[in-house]
Amino acid sequence: MAADMAKIYEVAVKIAKDAGGMIREAFRLDQVIQTKEGAMDLVTETDQNVEKYITDMVEESFPTHSFIGEESVAAGKKCELTDNPTWIVDPIDGTTNFVHRFPFVAVSIAVAVNKDIEIGVVYNPIQDQLYTARKGQGAFVNGKPLKVSGKENLGEALLLGEFGADRNPENFKTKMDNFHKIMLQARGMRSLGSAALNMCMIASGVNDGYIEYGIHIWDIAAGYLILREAGGVVLDPSGDAVDLCSRSVLCGSTDKLCREIASKVNHVRYERD
Ligand code: LIP
């Protein structure tokens, strides 16, 4: 299996780089926008073309593997994580950024075996930053090892938080109230618009914590491994173990910081992936 994983990793990195090339090429062009679950949930032809390219490559290289992709699920495919080796893919994480040419966009590719993430690759082709991790082997950006900041206290933490695409007034209010409570103590909060890159920023030691309700497994599966391999913590916002399909995530450079954030939030429930 070790040899298989090395081969799968090699293919995942190649696919991420090629997909990144497609995104970089399309980044300078005006996009035709369509919406999915709501007016703020965007998709472009590039999201769909990149995902089609990735599914074709995975099918060709590993015909027995399963596939979960943001746009395949949007097109009606079931989101099912089984024990079979499964590629979990977001062709463009940060589609709104992509449309506005805000340079935080990434292709996110994870491979799970027995429901455990073994490989994580996140590539921001605009900034040419390739984040990679294999389980038990550390995390890297462009080959350089990553390590979290180790910050433990909210008062010295620079956080990341996202508004998400859901504009249900009740859900939105709970999220804003959470930010309010957290921000009375935290040093600052930024919003990059990409869950995968948020997690990579914490893995890089630049940011210290991140919370979001409403994300999907394809947004966070690769970032989950990269952050953990950099020494970070990924939990459910309740403080329980994370369930990648539960549509919520809390990340931090330390367990202590995560628990401090968890103690301040009320939960927003979404239907599982
Ligand atoms: C995005 C997430 C982000 C969230 C956005 C959106 P997409 O993913 O990465 O964290 O706040 O609403 O879901 O849709 O660009 O792949």
Side-chain angles (χ1 to χ4, degrees), residues 68-127:
I68 295 173
E70 175 169 20
E71 306 316 332
S72 319
V73 172
K77 197 172 169 230
K78 214 165 156 216
C79 178
E80 204 175 18
L81 184 59
T82 65
D83 287 345
N84 197 43
T86 303
W87 292 65
I88 306 167
V89 170
D90 190 341
I92 302 183
D93 190 48
T95 299
T96 305
N97 292 346
F98 176 67
V99 166
H100 289 262
R101 299 194 183 93
F102 185 68
F104 290 85
V105 299
V107 48
S108 173
I109 300 175
V111 181
V113 180
N114 295 323
K115 302 192 183 75
D116 211 13
I117 309 294
E118 292 281 345
I119 289 168
V121 180
V122 171
Y123 181 45
N124 178 342
I126 313 306
Q127 300 178 327

Side-chain angles (χ1 to χ4, degrees), residues 36 41-42 70 90 92-96 162-165 193-196 198 210 212 214-216 218-219:
K36 295 191 286 187
D41 190 9
L42 309 184
E70 175 169 20
D90 190 341
I92 302 183
D93 190 48
T95 299
T96 305
E162 298 290 343
F163 303 98
S194 159
N198 285 344
Y210 160 50
E212 183 164 2
I215 36 81
H216 294 274
W218 47 80
D219 297 314

Side-chain angles (χ1 to χ4, degrees), residues 5 118 173:
M5 288 316 297
E118 292 281 345
K173 183 172 184 321

